[in-house]
Amino acid sequence: MPVVVPNIYTFAYTGIEYTDERIPEELWPEYKDCKREESIFTFIVQLSAMPYKKLPVLEVDGKPVAQSNAVARYLARKYDLMGKDEWDAMICDELVDTLEDLKQDDMGGLRICSGP
């Protein structure tokens, strides 16, 4: 089953050039555990190239960023897609979180709350 990464839609909408690299399932264990070196202060440390050992991962300035909702919010802020005020930004957050709910394919326990 193909995996749909919502952030690809953001790239397409904004015209951002990107490379969509897919990792074959049989190679995932090797990629999941790979390391990268990074200089922190005066030390060179080994960090995971796959944060949280999950996909998708967006590489920003040579550094991996995981968690698709965090990436979506980063891209939205960077490319001015968060709306004109806090209300619009909240609606954007709501839509991103709704996509996550739909990805989970489990709407059990759905609640509707009103106000503050």
Side-chain angles (χ1 to χ4, degrees), residues 8-107:
I8 289 175
Y9 298 124
T10 304
F11 295 140
Y13 179 79
T14 58
I16 300 167
E17 289 188 34
Y18 66 96
T19 303
D20 183 7
E21 293 183 38
R22 304 288 172 129
I23 298 171
E25 192 171 340
E26 64 272 9
L27 296 179
W28 175 238
E30 180 182 330
Y31 277 88
K32 179 173 71 169
D33 295 325
C34 70
K35 300 283 184 191
R36 65 184 173 85
E37 288 188 353
E38 184 172 313
S39 178
I40 298 178
F41 304 110
T42 58
F43 303 100
I44 294 182
V45 296
Q46 292 261 328
L47 300 171
S48 175
M50 294 292 155
Y52 312 110
K53 300 183 183 215
K54 290 188 170 192
L55 292 174
V57 171
L58 175 68
E59 189 174 293
V60 178
D61 298 328
K63 297 179 182 172
V65 181
Q67 299 297 348
S68 58
N69 288 349
V71 170
R73 288 179 175 101
Y74 165 80
L75 293 172
R77 283 190 302 272
K78 184 174 176 79
Y79 294 98
D80 197 26
L81 300 174
M82 292 296 288
K84 64 184 179 318
D85 55 30
E86 289 181 9
W87 179 261
D88 285 356
M90 189 274 305
I91 295 298
C92 291
D93 284 343
E94 179 182 39
L95 294 171
V96 167
D97 292 341
T98 298
L99 285 173
E100 183 64 29
D101 290 344
L102 294 173
K103 264 190 347 188
Q104 299 296 326
D105 197 30
D106 178 10
M107 294 300 281

